[in-house]
Amino acid sequence: MQTISPPAVKEVFTRITQELGKVMVGQEKIIELLLVSLFSRGHCVLIGVPGLAKTLLVRSLAETLHLSFKRIQFTPDLMPSDIIGSELVQERDGKLAFEYVSGPVFANLLLADEVNRT
């Protein structure tokens, strides 16, 4: 694994924070903690009432870093195939063939929304 110098980390942190600050005004602390989680290769739990722009924050972070972003809406009827994907039968040139359609879990940044509902 490559070692990165502290000044380089600080520069990247500052650039990402400035970019996210354009979208998330007044949320410096949550941005800082989210980036700490990202830099430490960890997971992050964002807790808050609806409308606090949690999805916007994660989507903006993915766009800033040019990463793929997906969201899973947890509902009581959620099935494993809704998360990992499934094989679908497709018709091509008059023949049937299976085609795998990947689920949202195959993204760089994944937001599991409203997990408490499942």
Side-chain angles (χ1 to χ4, degrees):
M1 183 173 4
Q2 183 181 5
T3 305
I4 301 173
S5 69
V9 172
K10 177 65 176 170
E11 179 188 342
V12 169
F13 177 84
T14 303
R15 289 173 51 200
I16 295 171
T17 303
Q18 288 174 347
E19 193 64 31
L20 290 177
K22 295 175 184 176
V23 177
M24 303 292 296
V25 178
Q27 299 295 323
E28 291 82 15
K29 189 64 175 176
I30 188 67
I31 292 172
E32 176 185 336
L33 293 173
L34 183 63
L35 291 177
V36 167
S37 175
L38 180 71
F39 289 169
S40 63
R41 297 182 176 186
H43 297 88
C44 188
V45 176
L46 302 175
I47 300 173
V49 298
L52 291 182
K54 298 177 290 291
T55 302
L56 177 63
L57 174 61
V58 179
R59 182 181 292 122
S60 299
L61 177 62
E63 289 174 2
T64 300
L65 299 176
H66 304 288
L67 300 173
S68 62
F69 166 77
K70 297 287 182 172
R71 178 179 173 271
I72 299 173
Q73 176 73 37
F74 280 76
T75 58
D77 62 341
L78 186 70
M79 299 297 290
S81 60
D82 296 330
I83 297 172
I84 62 171
S86 61
E87 285 191 343
L88 301 176
V89 178
Q90 299 289 332
E91 183 178 349
R92 290 201 184 122
D93 301 325
K95 295 183 180 182
L96 297 177
F98 285 103
E99 180 180 323
Y100 179 73
V101 178
S102 62
V105 76
F106 297 104
N108 298 118
L109 289 179
L110 177 67
L111 178 65
D113 203 1
E114 298 180 1
V115 178
N116 59 328
R117 290 188 180 195
T118 304

